[in-house]
Amino acid sequence: MAKRNEAKEWAREKIRGLFTSPTIPFTDELRLDEAGIRHNVERMLAARASGIGFGFTEPWVLSLQERKRAMEVAIDAVKGRAVAYLHAADHSVAETVNLCLHAKAAGAEAVMLWAPYEWAKSQEMIHDFYAYVAERVDLAIIAYNTYHSGIAMTPQTVARIAAIPNICAMKDGVNDTAHT
């Protein structure tokens, strides 16, 4: 697990190959399917995933308790066989920090964050969000540049957050090579 000031060096070594975020499955009763999470991890490892992350597509349909439990199960299922990272973004900055701290306690090597939906209305607010969370979390952070949050980061904002010690990688969800 990389600490804040080791994150960039850690990423140069570890962030390579296929990184994927499989969905979190549910039972027929709409409960968290822990066996299904473990099954999905095995499928991703069989596909030679170098990094496996959980929590991207379902956070808004899970309770906070379910999100945390899914994090724990996913990390346990990976068992160090790939880079284990967790999606910890939330509409609440306080809950984002809380989820990052839980991810670290569960054994995640990194967290992936995107700017909070709706309230991050400017590039300055996006920068401030990443800076605030990074200052409170001694863990590698992968930034996710995506329109899911309602605004994409400009190249200038990407450069600014890249200067934050524990921001160590970027997932491009903009799908515009010139922009990225």
Side-chain angles (χ1 to χ4, degrees), residues 9-58:
E9 183 178 319
W10 171 85
R12 281 185 202 95
E13 180 184 331
K14 298 285 188 173
I15 306 288
R16 299 177 182 277
L18 172 65
F19 275 60
T20 186
S21 298
T23 60
I24 295 176
F26 297 91
T27 66
D28 290 340
E29 295 79 33
L30 302 179
R31 297 189 199 286
L32 193 62
D33 183 351
E34 293 186 15
I37 292 172
R38 293 175 189 285
H39 174 79
N40 285 349
V41 166
E42 295 306 321
R43 293 286 302 250
M44 296 302 103
L45 289 169
R48 297 186 182 167
S50 304
I52 300 175
F54 268 90
F56 172 66
T57 58
E58 303 78 21

Side-chain angles (χ1 to χ4, degrees), residues 10 50-53 74-75 78 80 82-86 107-111:
W10 171 85
S50 304
I52 300 175
I75 295 296
V78 172
V83 171
Y85 65 100
L86 297 168
E109 294 178 76
V111 292

